[in-house]
């Protein structure tokens, strides 16, 4: 008798194939890129943020006992955003961030939160100073 884990299942095969393709797209060289050395001795190492997702599913619908029909599908997507460069020159390493402009209103709000918190704290600090005088 055949073990159920050993059976060829088109749904499992579709998911495995999708995961293999994601693995090809997203490796360590995608996140921390290969170093680039310039003529003047500066080494740049790109750093990226990788987001990915996948999904799949299917159904085994049988008619006759000897015939089985299987419908399955899988899909995946990946997004790579540059984040920064590590700059190495004369033994000194610096991080050079890559600023991407906010895309949506929510991104703009998230970007504004630290400034707003600082302004509110500053307001209350000034108010406390006036009250203590």
């Amino acid at each position: 008798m055949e073990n159920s884990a050993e059976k060829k299942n088109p749904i499992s095969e579709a998911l495995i194939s999708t995961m293999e393709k994601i693995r090809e797209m997203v490796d360590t060289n995608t996140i921390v890129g290969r170093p680039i050395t310039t003529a003047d001795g500066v080494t740049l190492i790109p750093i990226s943020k990788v987001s990915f997702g996948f999904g799949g599913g299917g159904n085994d619908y049988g008619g006759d006992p000897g015939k089985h029909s299987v419908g399955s599908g899988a899909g995946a997507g990946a997004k790579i955003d540059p984040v920064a460069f590590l700059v190495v020159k004369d033994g000194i390493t610096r991080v050079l961030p890559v600023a991407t402009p906010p895309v949506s209103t929510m991104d703009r709000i998230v970007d504004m939160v630290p400034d707003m918190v600082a302004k509110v704290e500053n307001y209350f600090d000034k108010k406390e100073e006036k009250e203590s005088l």
Side-chain angles (χ1 to χ4, degrees):
M1 186 169 188
E2 213 175 307
N3 183 347
S4 64
E6 294 174 8
K7 287 184 183 178
K8 294 276 185 182
N9 182 336
I11 298 169
S12 296
E13 288 176 7
L15 291 173
I16 289 169
S17 175
T18 302
M19 287 303 295
E20 287 172 0
K21 293 297 180 188
I22 289 175
R23 191 176 297 122
E24 287 175 17
M25 289 187 301
V26 183
D27 65 0
T28 56
N29 289 325
T30 307
I31 298 166
V32 178
R34 291 189 176 97
I36 303 163
T37 304
T38 64
D40 60 348
V42 176
T43 302
L44 301 170
I45 303 170
I47 308 293
S48 300
K49 177 176 88 171
V50 178
S51 305
F52 66 92
F54 78 98
N59 189 17
D60 181 6
Y61 52 95
D64 297 335
K67 291 184 176 181
H68 288 290
S69 297
V70 176
S72 63
K79 178 181 173 188
I80 302 170
D81 292 317
V83 176
F85 285 95
L86 292 179
V87 180
V88 182
K89 183 177 181 181
D90 300 326
I92 298 171
T93 304
R94 292 182 309 145
V95 176
L96 180 64
V98 176
T100 56
V103 178
S104 67
T105 303
M106 193 57 160
D107 290 336
R108 288 186 188 110
I109 291 170
V110 169
D111 287 344
M112 290 171 42
V113 167
D115 288 337
M116 295 302 291
V117 169
K119 287 179 182 178
V120 169
E121 287 176 350
N122 191 19
Y123 171 78
F124 283 112
D125 289 344
K126 286 182 180 180
K127 188 175 179 181
E128 287 176 6
E129 271 182 29
K130 285 181 181 178
E131 290 175 357
S132 65
L133 292 177

